């Protein structure tokens, strides 16, 4: 948490390295864009613009901690592109936040907003902090100081933050309140939409908390029939049981799917032997080395009970009603859907070789490495990309932004209905593009996103 001067200098050197480094997340993101750009013959000038963020903001700010010490925190706000509209993207609190990672996440946000048909560009932010190791009082002070340091680099019609890993509705409310009290150029009401993902009482939207998970489920409801998979009875495992993982799991189980395994920072759990979920998923692509575990078809981990347990304990380890397993066993569970819903690069080449699944559903940003992607595709495993599956959150954030601007409040049914329509139209665009270019779902999604950005640049031209 505490950064010495030498550590800050080292972090500067590491952060300012070019993205061509082999282990760079940004290089991974740009590489995928370039592959799609080659397929759709993207204009070279558009490719060059998208290869670097428009603005990179780094702030270092001191905070007085509860014990009287002063700690210097580092924060980032990367504004990648705003040709389609105001910058939009979450703020992450995590001890491993780096400039490289935030750049990649901002690029993905540009593409995600374009793919979803939203009037937003892409941005991302973060603070290098472990929110689980500080008090609520300290967390509030860090948030207010970070917001103050960003100043007018954010704003309701310029750059609109939202929650991400390690942040939540309460933190968004603190950002909003700090911005309101430090910026006098606008009326108080019009500044409600400086952030999205707020509490309902402070201008948030119905359905925002579950929005990313809801979007994942709507994508699956739309695309799985094309793959010959029925959601009712489908078996799935998931990495991460935070906001996205828990809501995705609960919504899938409500539709008849079976949760067979969960992995998080504390370890892995699997459905108890004899629950009927230890065998093959319907049509799993790779044979299991062991015979299926007999049992009734109605088994599985109770997603709602697990969500309550994680809310109390902070982890899945020790959950009653499931067996503790090692990571290797978790990855080899036969499933129809494997859903990484945590951090980036969770599915590497080693994991890709172990998976016994039909579809990898990227509920998190950038969870699959390029090497792993090649292995999965060679094995006939479909990959539904994050810019498609993960778009529910930013779409409902857009709905919240619109409600704040118009002083409206939509019902949950209105939000869900609008989200389903956006997701269905997005999936239709991807399916048509996949057929046109005879490519996989990831490349089709990227091509749709790049095509919209290209069209706008060609129509607007480059100033001056």
């Amino acid at each position: 948490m505490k950064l010495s001067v030498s550590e800050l200098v080292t972090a500067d050197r590491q952060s300012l390295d070019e993205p061509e480094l082999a282990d760079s997340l940004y290089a991974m993101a740009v590489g995928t864009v370039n592959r799609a750009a080659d397929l759709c013959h993207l204009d070279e000038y558009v490719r060059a613009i998208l290869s670097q963020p428009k603005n990179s903001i780094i702030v270092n700010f001191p905070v007085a901690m509860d014990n009287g010490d002063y700690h210097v925190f580092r924060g980032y706000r990367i504004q990648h592109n705003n040709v389609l509209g105001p910058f939009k993207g979450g703020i992450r609190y995590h001890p491993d936040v780096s400039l490289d990672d935030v750049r990649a996440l901002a690029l993905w946000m540009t593409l995600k907003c374009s793919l979803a048909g939203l009037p937003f560009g892409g941005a991302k932010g973060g603070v290098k902090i472990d929110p689980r190791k500080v008090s609520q009082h300290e967390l509030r002070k860090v948030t207010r100081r970070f917001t103050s340091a960003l100043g007018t680099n954010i704003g309701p019609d310029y750059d609109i933050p939202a929650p991400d890993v390690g942040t939540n509705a309460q933190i968004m409310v603190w950002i909003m309140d700090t911005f309101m009290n430090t910026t006098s150029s606008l009326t108080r009401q019009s500044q409600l939409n400086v952030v999205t993902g707020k509490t309902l009482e402070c201008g948030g939207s119905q359905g925002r908390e579950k929005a990313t998970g809801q979007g994942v489920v709507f994508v699956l409801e739309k695309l799985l029939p094309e793959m010959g998979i029925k959601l009712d009875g489908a078996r799935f495992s998931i990495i991460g049981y935070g906001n996205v993982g828990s809501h995705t799991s609960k919504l899938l189980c409500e539709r008849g799917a079976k949760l067979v395994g969960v992995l998080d920072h504390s370890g892995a759990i699997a459905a108890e032997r004899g629950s009927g979920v230890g065998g093959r998923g319907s049509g799993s692509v790779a044979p299991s080395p062991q015979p299926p575990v007999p049992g009734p078809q109605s088994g599985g981990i109770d997603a709602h009970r697990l969500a309550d347990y994680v809310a109390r304990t902070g982890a899945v380890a020790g959950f009653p009603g499931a067996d503790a397993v090692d990571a290797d066993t978790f990855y080899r569970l036969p499933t129809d859907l494997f859903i990484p819903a945590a951090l980036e690069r969770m599915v590497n080449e080693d994991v890709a070789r172990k998976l016994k699944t039909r579809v990898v559903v990227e509920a998190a940003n950038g969870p699959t490495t390029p090497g792993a992607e090649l292995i999965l595709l060679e094995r006939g495993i479909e990959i539904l990309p994050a810019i498609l599956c993960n778009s529910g959150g930013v779409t409902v954030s857009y709905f919240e932004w619109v409600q704040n601007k118009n002083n409206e409040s939509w019902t949950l049914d209105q939000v869900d209905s609008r989200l389903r329509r956006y997701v269905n139209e997005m999936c239709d665009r991807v399916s048509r593009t996949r057929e046109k270019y005879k490519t996989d779902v990831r490349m089709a999604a990227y091509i749709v996103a790049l095509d919209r950005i290209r069209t706008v640049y060609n129509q607007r031209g480059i100033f001056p």
Side-chain angles (χ1 to χ4, degrees):
M1 184 195 312
K2 186 176 182 179
L3 291 177
S4 67
V5 173
S6 61
E7 287 171 330
L8 285 171
V9 171
T10 301
D12 271 333
R13 290 200 195 100
Q14 293 171 343
S15 295
L16 296 177
D17 280 340
E18 288 302 307
E20 286 73 24
L21 291 172
D23 63 347
S24 165
L25 189 67
Y26 192 68
M28 174 179 131
V30 171
T32 306
V33 171
N34 284 336
R35 284 164 46 212
D38 290 341
L39 283 175
C40 68
H41 305 293
L42 186 69
D43 310 69
E44 286 300 321
Y45 82 95
V46 178
R47 188 191 301 227
I49 291 170
L50 294 178
S51 69
Q52 294 293 333
K54 185 172 184 179
N55 302 311
S56 299
I57 303 158
I58 304 174
V59 294
N60 299 300
F61 53 93
V63 174
M65 310 304 283
D66 290 347
N67 64 2
D69 289 345
Y70 285 85
H71 289 216
V72 176
F73 293 90
R74 170 158 293 179
Y76 304 93
R77 189 65 180 173
I78 304 302
Q79 298 164 333
H80 178 262
N81 189 276
N82 64 345
V83 72
L84 299 178
F87 298 110
K88 186 80 184 77
I91 289 180
R92 173 174 298 192
Y93 285 1
H94 194 275
D96 295 329
V97 164
S98 71
L99 177 60
D100 177 72
D101 289 354
V102 179
R103 292 170 82 195
L105 293 164
L107 168 56
W108 283 321
M109 278 300 301
T110 295
L111 299 171
K112 194 184 303 181
C113 292
S114 178
L115 175 62
L118 303 176
F120 285 144
K124 209 74 173 185
V127 176
K128 198 175 183 66
I129 183 176
D130 188 342
R132 293 173 295 185
K133 294 185 177 180
V134 297
S135 70
Q136 191 80 343
H137 178 243
E138 290 170 328
L139 198 61
R140 184 174 70 246
K141 292 174 72 174
V142 168
T143 300
R144 289 192 183 279
R145 188 61 194 263
F146 178 49
T147 306
S148 176
L150 289 176
T152 55
N153 285 301
I154 61 173
D157 293 306
Y158 179 65
D159 183 354
I160 306 106
D164 196 75
V165 175
T167 58
N168 55 26
Q170 177 60 75
I171 290 173
M172 294 305 107
V173 170
W174 289 334
I175 293 175
M176 178 194 72
D177 183 74
T178 305
F179 186 83
M180 282 182 167
N181 282 287
T182 56
T183 306
S184 59
S185 60
L186 300 172
T187 66
R188 218 175 147 78
Q189 180 62 31
S190 70
Q191 293 176 331
L192 281 176
N193 55 337
V194 66
V195 293
T196 57
K198 304 179 293 292
T199 62
L200 287 174
E201 296 80 2
C202 292
S205 173
Q206 295 282 354
R208 177 59 185 89
E209 185 178 354
K210 66 164 182 151
T212 304
Q214 187 72 73
V216 172
V217 174
F218 284 162
V219 168
L220 294 176
E221 288 181 328
K222 179 69 173 177
L223 294 182
L224 287 187
E226 298 178 12
M227 305 174 188
I229 300 174
K230 294 182 178 180
L231 200 53
D232 186 3
R235 301 178 178 190
F236 71 99
S237 59
I238 196 159
I239 301 178
Y241 216 75
N243 178 280
V244 178
S246 62
H247 283 292
T248 299
S249 297
K250 289 187 289 186
L251 291 166
L252 286 176
C253 289
E254 289 169 6
R255 287 158 173 77
K258 310 292 191 297
L259 176 58
V260 304
V262 183
L263 173 73
D264 74 355
H265 62 90
S266 67
I269 57 173
E272 294 173 310
R273 290 183 62 85
S275 66
V277 294
R280 290 170 61 85
S282 55
S284 185
V285 296
S288 173
Q290 297 178 346
V293 177
Q297 288 297 316
S298 59
I301 298 171
D302 188 320
H304 289 81
R305 282 184 57 215
L306 179 58
D308 292 341
Y309 177 84
V310 172
R312 293 193 309 271
T313 67
V316 303
F319 174 66
D323 292 333
V325 296
D326 59 27
D328 187 73
T329 300
F330 166 80
Y331 291 127
R332 295 181 188 276
L333 289 171
T335 61
D336 297 291
L337 311 172
F338 180 81
I339 308 176
L343 296 172
E344 300 76 38
R345 293 190 280 200
M346 299 296 292
V347 182
N348 56 30
E349 294 179 28
D350 181 55
V351 170
R353 295 187 183 97
K354 294 175 181 177
L355 291 180
K356 293 179 173 59
T357 194
R358 299 180 68 182
V359 185
V360 171
V361 183
E362 293 187 338
N365 291 300
T368 309
T369 66
E373 180 180 352
L374 290 175
I375 292 170
L376 292 170
L377 293 176
E378 287 172 358
R379 296 183 59 209
I381 298 174
E382 294 272 8
I383 305 172
L384 301 184
I387 65 167
L388 175 67
C389 296
N390 187 261
S391 62
V394 69
T395 302
V396 177
S397 277
Y398 167 60
F399 297 163
E400 180 179 332
W401 186 71
V402 170
Q403 290 172 74
N404 290 163
K405 286 178 75 72
N406 296 331
N407 292 319
E408 296 177 354
S409 180
W410 301 350
T411 66
L412 180 58
D413 285 344
Q414 287 177 305
V415 171
D416 282 350
S417 175
R418 285 174 165 89
L419 176 59
R420 185 186 288 276
R421 177 167 58 84
Y422 269 79
V423 168
N424 286 347
E425 291 174 356
M426 178 173 56
C427 289
D428 286 340
R429 289 192 291 270
V430 171
S431 294
R432 290 194 299 268
T433 302
R434 184 185 187 191
E435 180 62 27
K436 176 182 177 181
Y437 286 90
K438 307 299 180 187
T439 188
D440 58 86
V441 181
R442 186 191 302 281
M443 286 296 100
Y446 274 70
I447 288 170
V448 172
L450 292 174
D451 231 12
R452 183 178 175 220
I453 293 169
R454 165 174 39 197
T455 298
V456 173
Y457 268 117
N458 286 342
Q459 291 176 358
R460 289 180 57 170
I462 301 298
F463 180 84

